[in-house]
Amino acid sequence: MANIIKLLPDHVANQIAAGEVVQRPASVVKELLENAIDAGATSIKLIIKDAGKTLIQIIDNGKGMSETDARMSFERHATSKITSADDLFNLSTKGFRGEALASIAAVAHVELKTRIHKNEVGTRIEIEGSKIITQEPCATPVGTSLAVKNLFFNIPARRNFLKSNNVELRHIIDEFQRVALAHSQIVFAMFHNDGEVFQLPAGNLKQRIVGIFGGKTNEKLVPVAEETDIVTIQGFVVKPEFSKKTRGEQFFFVNDRFIKNAYLNHAVSAAFEGLLPDKTRASYFLYLTVDPSTIDINIHPTKTEIKFDDEHSLYAILRSTIKHSLGQFNIAPVLDFDRDANLDTPYAYKDKYVHTPKVEVDRTFNPFETVPPPKKGATMPSYTKQNVEGWEQLYEGLKTPPSDGTSNVTYESDEVTGNLFQKDTEYAFAKAESSTYQLNNKYIISTIKSGMVIIDQHRAHQRILYEELLRNITVKESVSQQLLFPLVLNYNSSELALLVQLKEGLENTGFVFGKVANETLEITGIPTSLPESEVPIVIEQLLSDLENEVPDTGFSQTDTLAKSMAKSMAVKAGETLDGSSREHLVNSLFACKEPSVSPDNRTTFITMSGEELDRKFK
């Protein structure tokens, strides 16, 4: 039998590796940014065109590479980060596998310019699909400039799987933010299609967070700090009242490396137990420093998952540290029955000297006197009664007997031991003037010819609003109510960019926008069916629904917008509806094109025939 196992060619092996390392343009951005940091750069510039599909360029002022190193960097498993297997258990760098540049060069056109400090000229290398086209000397500053062009040019199927430019740009921004947050001492800049997206100067951690997520973030942060033998924790958590429904602002860093860890995230949620509003998640920026020998990074291609030696201790320390910070800054309530908060010493008076108060008493004061007390040696004046005329009239009528004899009679009432039905629940026999009845403030019951129909009020209202919003967006005939005072909301740059993208669709639903700049969104008009107080909730729900994927322009975007707004604006379970509101909801539901299911394909109503009811009583 002939031998059938053979070695793959290098260009094929590189393309297979690229399937794990290079999933989308954001993967390239992550790898190149980490390489620039490992090179000791203090200033890094990211240039993007067409969401990375046309160009991804990283320019840094690091130590650069020699001519030989520049050529070797594109070979598989060629790295300067480790020399033996033991180094995997004591990693202090971002990359160590030596697969990134080889994988990127296998699926793109790559141009590298690099120079080390001691050389007067640098090296320029061009690669297309793992093949070196050009290698020559060039004039370039100290550091490295790596341009990745036409990503997946030789794998059309992979390129077709990429999402729209807006989706891919959001993924790139996410990766850029993660790297920038982990290294506040480095200057970062990001440009997309010749427009500036971020310009982040070097500073402390808080300045970097505010620079990325906007100036309003400053007032939301609560500092967290703890140092133990196992872990050193630093960072910030966001106050509970500013929590969001999205997971966007949840950042864990271990030894300046962004990670995802559901176990540690649960520790943070446990620390916020009882403080967060319903269906919201805690936001945090937490930096953990541990001994590199106690973690294993090499368990995932993207290196975002880490294996800890002692996760249980980390869980307990992290939870206790956050609880302590929330209590220290009066975010969490303190339960102490023997403590009087009024007796707490303010910080400003803690070191001040305490003076014994002196009490002065006027021993000549007489509360019954109507004139000033006499001086010593003076004769006592004679006093006369004043305003005492007619005092007898105050007692007139008290001896007059009551007009009827029922005033002093008490009646014995029957003791009510309990009700079979709830008082606030309307049934057919309790309110006969309406043909609909509400059960548990959640379901609407109405009679039909064959029996009765039971409607879920929240899902039904979702269906009604969804079709109404979809119609308004399509025909562009929505009605708005103008606000007396504009509503100004604050969002970070990525959220604001997403809202600007959806601006036309939101305007077709009834929103009217004013200025959109400096991380603020001004709203001057809202849909007539939307209370002003619920506008932030609706927009936050919309951002939450679009957190993972931003649909392309067209019907999918309109459909997502209508579904999200309908879910936010629909009446919730637990709301009491009067008779006219119930009847209007029932009539509007059965006037819809698809009354039987909600926008997310869940049942809106069920029917029960008379025969089914008869069988219940057998």
Side-chain angles (χ1 to χ4, degrees), residues 191-209:
F191 300 87
H192 179 243
N193 292 341
D194 300 324
E196 182 182 293
V197 181
F198 289 104
Q199 188 64 252
L200 305 174
N204 58 35
L205 176 58
K206 192 171 189 179
Q207 290 171 335
R208 179 54 53 89
I209 294 173

Side-chain angles (χ1 to χ4, degrees), residues 288-309:
L288 282 63
T289 303
V290 299
D291 184 356
S293 62
T294 63
I295 58 176
D296 183 6
I297 303 170
N298 193 28
I299 61 173
H300 194 272
T302 61
K303 300 185 286 290
T304 56
E305 297 180 9
I306 290 180
K307 175 68 174 137
F308 295 93
D309 285 352

Side-chain angles (χ1 to χ4, degrees), residues 346-571:
Y347 291 111
Y349 293 88
K350 185 174 62 173
D351 299 326
K352 287 188 176 182
Y353 179 74
V354 178
H355 297 278
T356 304
K358 295 181 180 180
V359 180
E360 296 183 357
V361 180
D362 184 5
R363 300 186 183 280
T364 62
F365 174 73
N366 187 350
F368 299 100
E369 289 180 349
T370 58
V371 295
K375 296 182 179 179
K376 292 183 178 180
T379 58
M380 294 293 293
S382 59
Y383 295 98
T384 57
K385 294 182 179 180
Q386 300 177 358
N387 299 328
V388 295
E389 297 180 358
W391 63 271
E392 298 89 347
Q393 297 178 2
L394 296 174
Y395 300 94
E396 291 183 358
L398 294 179
K399 296 182 179 181
T400 307
S403 57
D404 56 1
T406 61
S407 299
N408 297 327
V409 179
T410 58
Y411 296 91
E412 183 179 358
S413 60
D414 294 335
E415 182 181 359
V416 179
T417 58
N419 291 325
L420 181 60
F421 303 101
Q422 298 180 5
K423 294 182 179 180
D424 58 347
T425 305
E426 297 175 0
Y427 292 91
F429 50 81
K431 195 169 183 179
E433 63 269 18
S434 176
S435 60
T436 59
Y437 317 100
Q438 192 175 21
L439 176 63
N440 294 339
N441 289 340
K442 183 177 181 181
Y443 301 105
I444 297 175
I445 302 175
S446 180
T447 58
I448 55 177
K449 187 175 182 180
S450 60
M452 66 177 180
V453 59
I454 304 174
I455 302 172
D456 186 307
Q457 65 185 36
H458 178 61
R459 297 181 186 178
H461 200 205
Q462 276 192 60
R463 165 54 63 178
I464 297 167
L465 292 174
Y466 169 72
E467 294 196 5
E468 179 183 346
L469 290 168
L470 207 58
R471 183 168 56 252
N472 290 341
I473 297 174
T474 304
V475 301
K476 302 181 180 180
E477 293 182 355
S478 60
V479 181
S480 301
Q481 55 177 343
Q482 297 299 309
L483 299 177
L484 182 61
F485 300 102
L487 186 63
V488 179
L489 303 176
N490 296 282
Y491 298 99
N492 61 47
S493 56
S494 59
E495 292 174 338
L496 201 61
L498 177 57
L499 292 174
V500 170
Q501 178 192 346
L502 300 173
K503 182 179 178 182
E504 182 179 356
L506 288 169
E507 287 175 341
N508 292 333
T509 64
F511 282 96
V512 180
F513 296 99
K515 297 179 181 178
V516 182
N518 299 327
E519 299 175 346
T520 59
L521 177 68
E522 185 182 79
I523 300 175
T524 59
I526 59 177
T528 54
S529 58
L530 179 64
E532 181 179 352
S533 59
E534 296 186 8
V535 172
I537 301 174
V538 171
I539 296 181
E540 184 180 344
Q541 181 65 53
L542 177 61
L543 293 172
S544 176
D545 292 339
L546 298 174
E547 177 184 6
N548 296 321
E549 295 294 339
V550 183
D552 298 335
T553 55
F555 176 75
S556 58
Q557 187 182 95
T558 302
D559 182 66
T560 303
L561 179 60
K563 284 181 179 179
S564 178
M565 292 187 62
K567 181 165 57 176
S568 303
M569 297 166 59
V571 294

Side-chain angles (χ1 to χ4, degrees), residues 51-162:
K53 298 176 182 177
T54 302
L55 173 67
I56 300 172
Q57 185 174 8
I58 299 287
I59 303 173
D60 67 69
N61 63 348
K63 57 187 178 183
M65 291 182 286
S66 64
E67 181 180 359
T68 303
D69 286 344
R71 181 71 176 260
M72 285 292 296
S73 64
F74 291 98
E75 299 294 332
R76 291 191 67 208
H77 305 304
T79 179
S80 62
K81 315 297 176 61
I82 62 174
T83 57
S84 65
D86 293 337
D87 293 338
L88 290 173
F89 302 101
N90 192 25
L91 289 170
S92 59
T93 58
K94 302 293 182 182
F96 51 87
R97 289 176 180 157
E99 291 182 319
L101 291 182
S103 300
I104 294 170
V107 292
H109 296 159
V110 177
E111 181 184 18
L112 171 69
K113 294 181 180 179
T114 184
R115 179 168 77 90
I116 58 178
H117 182 73
K118 67 178 183 179
N119 291 348
E120 295 182 357
V121 295
T123 303
R124 176 179 176 270
I125 297 178
E126 279 190 67
I127 300 178
E128 294 182 5
S130 296
K131 296 180 181 179
I132 297 180
I133 306 300
T134 304
Q135 181 173 352
E136 59 186 6
C138 71
T140 184
V142 175
T144 303
S145 171
L146 187 64
V148 179
K149 307 173 185 177
N150 304 321
L151 189 64
F152 297 130
F153 79 99
N154 53 352
I155 311 179
R158 289 288 303 276
R159 191 175 181 89
N160 292 336
F161 272 101
L162 295 179

